Amino acid sequence: MPQSNAPRKVYDVCIIGSGAGGGTSAKILTEGGLNVVMLEAGPRLNPGKDFKEHVWPYELAHRGADVGGRGRLQMNDEFMAPNGFWEIDGEPYTTAPGSTFRWFRSRIEGGRTNHWGRIALRFGPADFRSHSTDGMGDDWPITYDEIAPYYDKVESFIGVFGSKENVPNSPDGVFQPPPRPRCTETIIKKACDHLNITCIPSRLAILTQPLNGRPACHYCAQCGRGCMTASNFSSSQVMIPVAAATGRFTMIVNAMAHELVVGSNGKVEAATYIDKTTRLEHRVYAKAFVVAASACESARLLLNSRSTLFPNGLANSSGAVGRYLTDSVGSSLAGHFPQLEKVPPHNHDGVGGMHMYMPWWRFGQKNDFLRGYHIEFGGGRNMPSVGSFDGVNAEHEGYGVSLKQKSRSTYGTVIGFSGRGEMIPNEKTYCELDPKVVDKWGVPVLRFHWQWSENELKMAKDMQQTFRSIIETAGGTVYNGPRRKTGSKSMVGGGASEEESGYISEGGAIIHEAGTIRMGNNTKTSVLNRNCQAHEVKNLFVADAAPFVTNPDKNPTLTIMALSWRTSEYLLGQAKKGEL
């Protein structure tokens, strides 16, 4: 492949990836006085051009359904904040026989923070001590008390709304006032109170008060489509501008990093990347490297960085890179609530997400499974999009006026419930390099192995039972059965029946991958130390969800940022001491 011969410049730090972890690291390191270069696999983001938060369906050529309807009812339709893909042309991944896995990726400044759900939950004290609690998995090498100050720093800087509730193992944080419940949420809250299920205001990274020059949310409820006012959090609008303002930050866009080059001293000296616009290969040199490309992409980078010192991949003498892969346990169900048909049409003011949720309310109790889950829910009269009335069309015989009347009467009467639970790592679930398949640049791609355990299956079944109880107690009826992602026994393991396997999401579908380059004190079973610094390569750090030892029922992004902030402060201290 052709190479350019530009004069060598050595930065203090090279960060690979501009999402939650990479953006946080850039802020801390540049404010600390270091010169930072960031490699981003996509283009820069222009909110005024790229975000479509106030675009109506009739303003788009395909009404939001994309060419040939391929975006119909998909998460990444034409309204979504840009560059989120389940499949990318020329950048495939594979799954091992008998496995099913979906990998959602983003190629733009800010990565997946442009279109995440902004759910910002702290891990609890027990989440860092899971093995000590129930004997499964491993404990983290750090405690909640050690990361709590960094949760404080992140929440104070980005803005998170919520309420002080003192729920066991669901710690309170530094909160802005939460928005008021909407009518759908008050209905579910009453049912939860009757069932003794904790239901409290959500904790979302959306401003309800101005902060650091960012205005409060204007309640357009379109957060998934981006936010031109930066009232919700994204790395592209909150972290990276701060780093750029220091004058010590450089971003190289459309740069597909594929190898970290180790020098004779055993340290990383350069990152090799392909300029996607010219297809030329370049190297960027630095004294230290922070890998924050997302858990699986970061693992792929290390596995492809082979040398005589590290024939199995960079910092991978333990063989742990790619292992311990997890995703959140997911299951969903919806209910129809006839009382909502009688509610006068009104503006459902609010944020683009849930105003209330259910944290794990049975913590400390004996259940049929280990660990726990939380419940996200929502409904009401959201802005219609292509496919919104498909269910009515399928169930109602008629056309013209009668079909329109039926659509209007059922509009906003469905409330959906989704569980998010903890998956315990298992030896049959991991990612590795495919021995035969490469991407369009000739770089080996990832191959995924996936299997749910009986513990996750029992958890998903419990979710379904809980959803039904809430729906029926609230006066609704189950709208449809559980979403069946697969009926394959091989996906879930343990000889599960098709009915049981149908309760649970596909691996990767919840987009909470974690644990592929995990931290730990044991160098035989971990890649990083307690500071997310590689055991074997002292100038290599990881700052996404890859270092996670467990993947609790809380969404990972807040912990990615808190851990990245902590790691970056440690790196900054080491750099100032000249020890990198």
Side-chain angles (χ1 to χ4, degrees), residues 17-28:
S18 63
T24 301
S25 185
K27 164 187 157 52
I28 301 305

Side-chain angles (χ1 to χ4, degrees), residues 164-351:
K164 304 286 186 179
E165 300 288 346
N166 198 31
V167 176
N169 206 46
S170 296
D172 297 325
V174 180
F175 293 137
Q176 292 194 346
R180 295 178 60 185
R182 293 165 286 209
C183 65
T184 50
E185 287 143 347
T186 58
I187 291 172
I188 301 306
K189 167 64 173 171
K190 290 177 182 177
C192 287
D193 289 347
H194 182 78
L195 294 168
N196 294 318
I197 295 175
T198 303
C199 185
I200 62 174
S202 300
R203 295 162 178 189
L204 270 60
I206 301 173
L207 301 184
T208 55
Q209 296 177 336
L211 180 67
N212 298 329
R214 298 160 54 209
C217 175
H218 51 275
Y219 289 168
C220 74
Q222 303 298 311
C223 292
R225 300 167 64 189
C227 183
M228 283 180 271
T229 62
S231 302
N232 62 26
F233 173 82
S234 65
S235 175
S236 53
Q237 294 174 285
V238 180
M239 295 299 192
I240 292 174
V242 174
T246 66
R248 293 183 285 272
F249 177 75
T250 300
M251 179 182 288
I252 302 176
V253 297
N254 297 308
M256 194 68 191
H258 69 88
E259 183 182 4
L260 296 176
V261 181
V262 178
S264 58
N265 60 359
K267 298 178 183 179
V268 182
E269 65 177 19
T272 302
Y273 69 92
I274 298 162
D275 185 325
K276 294 165 69 174
T277 59
T278 65
R279 300 184 70 88
L280 290 175
E281 186 177 88
H282 303 263
R283 283 187 177 180
V284 61
Y285 294 84
K287 299 174 185 176
F289 292 78
V290 176
V291 179
S294 82
C296 295
E297 196 72 68
S298 292
R300 180 189 179 208
L301 178 60
L302 266 58
L303 290 170
N304 274 312
S305 299
R306 290 171 286 192
S307 63
T308 55
L309 284 176
F310 299 104
N312 296 319
L314 182 61
N316 192 31
S317 297
S318 65
V321 175
R323 299 282 169 171
Y324 309 103
L325 171 63
T326 57
D327 185 27
S328 293
V329 179
S331 192
S332 300
L333 194 67
H336 170 251
F337 294 83
Q339 62 266 48
L340 291 174
E341 295 181 10
K342 304 173 184 178
V343 175
H346 65 283
N347 187 351
H348 283 216
D349 285 343
V351 303

Side-chain angles (χ1 to χ4, degrees), residues 362 365-370 454-455 458-459 462 465:
R362 302 203 307 256
Q365 300 179 24
K366 184 173 179 58
N367 302 290
D368 291 336
F369 52 88
L370 300 176
E454 289 292 336
N455 194 70
K458 291 178 180 179
M459 181 183 293
D462 191 89
Q465 294 169 346

Side-chain angles (χ1 to χ4, degrees), residues 360-399:
W360 181 230
W361 65 99
R362 302 203 307 256
F363 176 76
Q365 300 179 24
K366 184 173 179 58
N367 302 290
D368 291 336
F369 52 88
L370 300 176
R371 316 294 165 84
Y373 60 88
H374 75 258
I375 301 175
E376 304 168 8
F377 71 98
R381 296 173 180 255
N382 298 316
M383 187 178 79
S385 61
V386 170
S388 291
F389 299 99
D390 283 1
V392 178
N393 293 331
E395 296 172 13
H396 180 68
E397 293 187 11
Y399 59 92

Side-chain angles (χ1 to χ4, degrees), residues 320-530:
V321 175
R323 299 282 169 171
Y324 309 103
L325 171 63
T326 57
D327 185 27
S328 293
V329 179
S331 192
S332 300
L333 194 67
H336 170 251
F337 294 83
Q339 62 266 48
L340 291 174
E341 295 181 10
K342 304 173 184 178
V343 175
H346 65 283
N347 187 351
H348 283 216
D349 285 343
V351 303
M354 56 192 189
H355 285 196
M356 303 195 79
Y357 88 116
M358 296 81 131
W360 181 230
W361 65 99
R362 302 203 307 256
F363 176 76
Q365 300 179 24
K366 184 173 179 58
N367 302 290
D368 291 336
F369 52 88
L370 300 176
R371 316 294 165 84
Y373 60 88
H374 75 258
I375 301 175
E376 304 168 8
F377 71 98
R381 296 173 180 255
N382 298 316
M383 187 178 79
S385 61
V386 170
S388 291
F389 299 99
D390 283 1
V392 178
N393 293 331
E395 296 172 13
H396 180 68
E397 293 187 11
Y399 59 92
V401 173
S402 66
L403 181 59
K404 290 179 180 179
Q405 290 174 339
K406 185 64 176 179
S407 295
R408 289 192 178 99
S409 68
T410 59
Y411 176 45
T413 63
V414 174
I415 301 175
F417 300 81
S418 294
R420 297 291 180 260
E422 177 167 357
M423 175 186 181
I424 300 174
N426 68 72
E427 62 181 12
K428 296 182 179 180
T429 299
Y430 59 94
C431 59
E432 62 182 354
L433 295 181
D434 191 296
K436 298 180 181 179
V437 182
V438 297
D439 64 18
K440 61 184 176 183
W441 298 288
V443 181
V445 305
L446 286 182
R447 178 170 63 183
F448 291 94
H449 298 252
W450 190 267
Q451 183 169 294
W452 294 115
S453 75
E454 289 292 336
N455 194 70
E456 286 88 49
L457 293 176
K458 291 178 180 179
M459 181 183 293
K461 187 175 182 180
D462 191 89
M463 291 178 185
Q464 288 289 314
Q465 294 169 346
T466 301
F467 300 155
R468 287 178 177 271
S469 295
I470 296 172
I471 291 169
E472 292 168 0
T473 302
T477 57
V478 173
Y479 187 72
N480 49 32
R483 295 181 185 175
R484 294 198 168 192
K485 296 296 184 182
T486 181
S488 169
K489 294 182 181 181
S490 59
M491 173 185 165
V492 297
S497 69
E498 290 187 3
E499 181 179 0
E500 289 172 328
S501 65
Y503 292 132
I504 199 165
S505 57
E506 286 181 305
I510 308 303
I511 319 179
H512 290 169
E513 318 93 71
T516 55
I517 313 174
R518 72 171 182 169
M519 58 196 301
N521 295 322
N522 186 342
T523 58
K524 295 181 179 180
T525 59
S526 64
V527 183
L528 311 172
N529 64 20
R530 65 195 318 275

